[in-house]
Amino acid sequence: MSLNKYFIGIDIGGSKCTLTVSNKELKILHRIQFATHTERGPNYAINQILKIIDEFKIKIDFEKVKSIGISCGGPLNSKRGLVLSPPNLPGWDNIPIVEIINNKTDKPTFIQNDANACALAEWRYGAGIGTQNMIFLTFGTGLGAGLILNGQLYTGSNDNAGEVGHIRLDYEGPVGFNKTGSFEGFCSGSGIAKLAQIKAEEKLNKGEKISYCSSFEELHAISALQLSKLANMGDKDALEVFNLSAKKLGYGLSILIDILNPELIVIGSVYARNPHLFDVLSNEIISKEAIPASRSICSVVPAQLGDNVGDIASICVAIDGYLTHKKL
């Protein structure tokens, strides 16, 4: 693919939206970001996106744009191009965003949820380069997965493949993905905070002290970031929380390894910033729980693309859609 082919990525988030123009080698030509202002409804953000596209039409040779990719939190319908009421985008109910962008640009436009988009990014340009079977786990506010199987993105029958956060790992524990003791409940930023709150409340009720919370009034302020800082300083109470999350991560990964037989699992966000807080205990569990032949060929690594992953992910949706479209 030559350098004179351009791609536009649109990353739609609950707090901000970013539009990026790039070539296939990810040389960023233009990047514009604005606050989503969800309280103003979807029309505000959509109109801003359309205005920025008009700016791009002036700044670049728009004939060279081969496709447009949209990364957005789910649920959505990638085949029909609909955004279906994501929790972080109130009011975005059955929004035909692909049709809207396509009508504006007359360019092939594709959409994927953010976990799938990040999986494409890490697969093409990050930790997963050269793999055929890779799982990407978000491990951010929630826990979702993007699946690269047999060298292509797998989304399932109705875009629900990869919702691994819903797997129940225990009948007690933090609530994640509307389920007590779920994979997301134990292995996400919000889940770690909830797990710490549960432990703090138990100790406070017994009149005991805990390092990261001195009163019931402080329970709501506990965060995964705060806990990770303490754990990295060797704080016993914070490490206890991360140790439990690490063990549950091991059980969850063992299930994925047994079912999907990947050669690589790439994990982002909380894990990517603190792999040393998870690896020892999670690997011990995987070694005990996973099928040995599958475990032996599977590596678990931190995501590589860091804070730029949103921009790269939306561009990768455009590139993947373009390449797939060319084959049809």
Side-chain angles (χ1 to χ4, degrees):
M1 194 184 304
S2 63
L3 297 179
N4 64 353
K5 290 182 172 67
Y6 297 157
F7 301 90
I8 295 176
I10 305 172
D11 182 25
I12 302 175
S15 60
K16 60 181 172 57
C17 296
T18 307
L19 281 79
T20 309
V21 180
S22 165
N23 61 22
K24 181 181 177 278
E25 283 64 34
L26 294 186
K27 180 181 179 181
I28 304 299
L29 306 176
H30 300 283
R31 181 183 188 276
I32 300 177
Q33 180 177 300
F34 66 91
T36 309
H37 287 302
T38 55
E39 74 280 1
R40 301 186 187 182
N43 286 339
Y44 170 78
I46 291 170
N47 287 334
Q48 290 296 110
I49 289 169
L50 298 180
K51 288 178 183 177
I52 292 170
I53 289 174
D54 280 337
E55 291 183 39
F56 287 163
K57 287 182 177 180
I58 297 171
K59 292 179 177 179
I60 64 172
D61 182 353
F62 213 74
E63 288 298 314
K64 293 182 179 180
V65 175
K66 298 304 175 184
S67 63
I68 298 172
I70 304 169
S71 171
C72 182
L76 50 80
N77 186 320
S78 64
K79 296 175 180 64
R80 296 177 60 199
L82 301 176
V83 179
L84 305 174
S85 307
N88 66 332
L89 293 169
W92 288 64
D93 306 321
N94 296 303
I95 301 294
I97 189 66
V98 166
E99 180 183 357
I100 291 169
I101 301 299
N102 184 255
N103 288 342
K104 177 71 172 179
T105 63
D106 197 31
K107 300 292 184 181
T109 303
F110 309 93
I111 187 170
Q112 291 294 342
N113 71 47
D114 46 7
N116 287 342
C118 288
L120 287 170
E122 286 288 344
W123 179 48
R124 291 194 181 281
Y125 297 99
I129 292 175
T131 61
Q132 287 293 300
N133 296 287
M134 184 201 91
I135 300 171
F136 172 79
L137 296 180
T138 57
F139 211 132
T141 303
L143 182 71
L147 308 176
I148 304 295
L149 302 178
N150 293 329
Q152 61 184 11
L153 179 67
Y154 177 76
T155 61
S157 300
N158 66 345
D159 282 319
N160 280 315
E163 295 291 4
V164 301
H166 201 247
I167 297 170
R168 191 188 297 279
L169 297 180
D170 204 328
Y171 285 97
E172 296 181 353
V175 175
F177 210 142
N178 301 315
K179 183 180 284 185
T180 301
S182 65
F183 198 176
E184 179 173 289
F186 287 107
C187 298
S188 64
S190 59
I192 287 173
K194 290 174 186 175
L195 184 60
Q197 289 166 2
I198 291 170
K199 290 189 171 294
E201 190 169 13
E202 289 174 353
K203 290 206 172 188
L204 290 172
N205 279 327
K206 295 177 182 178
E208 299 175 1
K209 293 183 178 181
I210 190 164
S211 63
Y212 54 80
C213 184
S214 59
S215 68
F216 290 104
E217 289 73 25
E218 293 181 3
L219 285 172
H220 72 282
I222 296 171
S223 68
L225 178 60
Q226 168 202 8
L227 290 164
S228 66
K229 289 179 179 178
L230 289 171
N232 280 309
M233 294 168 61
D235 181 88
K236 183 183 69 172
D237 293 326
L239 282 170
E240 184 180 351
V241 174
F242 272 92
N243 287 346
L244 179 54
S245 179
K247 289 178 182 178
K248 295 300 185 181
L249 178 63
Y251 284 112
L253 295 183
S254 297
I255 293 170
L256 300 181
I257 291 169
D258 284 355
I259 294 174
L260 296 175
N261 191 202
E263 60 202 277
L264 188 68
I265 298 175
V266 180
I267 312 180
S269 199
V270 178
Y271 173 91
R273 291 189 288 268
N274 304 279
H276 54 283
L277 295 180
F278 295 93
D279 283 346
V280 173
L281 291 176
S282 63
N283 285 332
E284 284 181 5
I285 298 296
I286 294 170
S287 296
K288 294 176 183 176
E289 292 291 322
I291 295 171
S294 297
R295 171 66 180 106
S296 67
I297 57 90
C298 181
S299 300
V300 180
V301 301
Q304 287 186 357
L305 298 180
D307 294 337
N308 294 325
V309 68
D311 296 348
I312 298 171
S314 59
I315 291 290
C316 284
V317 174
I319 293 173
D320 191 72
Y322 170 73
L323 294 175
T324 302
H325 188 71
K326 280 183 65 178
K327 295 175 184 176
L328 297 179

